[in-house]
Amino acid sequence: VKNSDFLEWSKLWESYNTFYKRAVAGEITQTTWQRFHDPSEPMHALVAEKDDQLVGLVHYLFHRSTAMICNACYLQDLFTAESVRGQGVGRALIEAVCEEARAAGSTRVYWQTHETNHTAMKLYDKVADKTGFIVYRKQF
């Protein structure tokens, strides 16, 4: 993702957040965007383009793990514009993150989705294994 992509990226980001029925403050969006462009940050972004328009985004980060020596790669956000769904954009973004993870020495990319996101799960079931883990969260 390039700095000049901000406006198009932010539209996709807003649509992604709307899809998950969450409101993200502008300060968080700005900080997230800045992190993508800070080489000292473990957070990264890739985008998909079609006809010079952004049609997809993926965000991922690297972190340590107690289960392996190399860093794990967490694919945090994945979203494609409705106009390109079913055309391989989501799969291409997942594969691009996997390539980045391999290049960084990671042996694992993982992600989660909401249990109601059946469309995405059809793709995920083809490209990855379900771990069986359930996510718990406690907010403060």
Side-chain angles (χ1 to χ4, degrees), residues 10-137:
S10 64
K11 290 175 189 173
L12 288 170
W13 175 240
E14 185 177 323
S15 295
Y16 172 78
N17 288 312
T18 298
F19 177 83
Y20 278 113
K21 297 177 177 83
R22 67 181 192 182
V24 175
E27 178 184 18
I28 294 172
T29 294
Q30 287 295 328
T31 300
T32 298
W33 183 254
Q34 290 168 359
R35 287 176 176 163
F36 295 148
H37 301 286
D38 181 344
S40 68
E41 284 284 343
M43 187 179 288
H44 307 279
L46 299 171
V47 291
E49 295 181 38
K50 182 179 180 183
D51 300 327
D52 296 322
Q53 298 270 327
L54 296 191
V55 294
L57 61 77
V58 65
H59 306 144
Y60 61 101
L61 57 99
F62 294 102
H63 65 86
R64 297 196 187 281
S65 171
T66 60
M68 54 193 197
I69 294 172
C70 62
N71 284 338
C73 180
Y74 177 55
L75 190 159
Q76 187 166 15
D77 309 307
L78 175 65
F79 185 76
T80 62
E82 197 169 332
S83 62
V84 297
R85 291 197 186 136
Q87 297 178 26
V89 175
R91 179 188 292 262
L93 287 167
I94 291 169
E95 289 173 1
V97 170
C98 291
E99 288 176 27
E100 294 291 325
R102 274 190 218 96
S106 183
T107 59
R108 177 188 303 162
V109 174
Y110 72 101
W111 61 93
Q112 61 187 13
T113 193
H114 195 271
E115 64 187 7
T116 61
N117 195 354
H118 301 290
T119 301
M121 285 189 279
K122 288 177 187 173
L123 169 61
Y124 302 161
D125 288 342
K126 293 176 187 172
V127 301
D129 300 318
K130 279 185 186 172
T131 64
F133 282 90
I134 298 170
V135 176
Y136 289 84
R137 174 175 53 198

